Amino acid sequence: QKEVEQDPGPLSVPEGAIVSLNCTYSNSAFQYFMWYRQYSRKGPELLMYTYSSGNKEDGRFTAQVDKSSKYISLFIRDSQPSDSATYLCAMITGGGNKLTFGTGTQLKVEL
Amino acid sequence: NAGVTQTPKFQVLKTGQSMTLQCAQDMNHNSMYWYRQDPGMGLRLIYYSASEGTTDKGEVPNGYNVSRLNKREFSLRLESAAPSQTSVYFCASSDLRTGVRSNYGYTFGSGTRLTVV
């Protein structure tokens, strides 16, 4: 079993929809949680960064962490075609020196 | 501010040839990483360097070697390329400081697309 599980999709939604992307993990020592966005033929870029449990909002994006369930989510409101990309979750322990990544979920937002 | 720069962007090799992928960062980051990305496999860590002067194996180190030349540069070498090494290679850097709640996020380069025939 992988330390971090992420549904690969692809996920196809209409423009304006609310998108929910999720990851589950098994290592209870993970403390820092991130979401990366990767456009086709580009490198991943950091989208959201959270510490421990709770919510963090940035514009149309909300990152949610539930440590008791070992479950993290990324919500995208009013999705746009420009949100079409692969979204990777990542996490690290407090004393860790490398991230553990999910395999990524491919999202397509259609007009 | 260039961030993480990888060269070359594209490369085609014949089986058995060698090459070095170059990576440089200008953010004064301590840690640097090499990943490969294959369809359905996600990002897989090849080698990393937590700080200047140290290197460690990742998940898939076989067939690769690395050199942390200085704080800015971290190169990946394929000594004898094989078709199984056809992939997209990403270099990344971060400012990890153990025990300090700093930004653990990585900055990635734009990748090297390598084909081994």
Side-chain angles (χ1 to χ4, degrees), chain B residues 19-37:
Chain B
M19 79 162 294
T20 299
L21 281 65
Q22 306 286 353
C23 176
Q25 53 93 7
D26 62 3
M27 296 168 287
N28 200 36
H29 283 172
N30 296 318
S31 304
M32 298 185 74
Y33 311 82
W34 275 106
Y35 286 87
R36 59 178 291 174
Q37 188 174 42

Side-chain angles (χ1 to χ4, degrees), chain A residues 36 38 49 94 97-99, chain B residues 33 37 96 102 104 106 113:
Chain A
Y36 286 80
Q38 184 177 20
Y49 177 91
N97 56 15
K98 58 187 186 295
L99 291 173
Chain B
Y33 311 82
Q37 188 174 42
L96 290 181
S102 60
Y104 284 177
Y106 290 1
R113 293 186 172 273

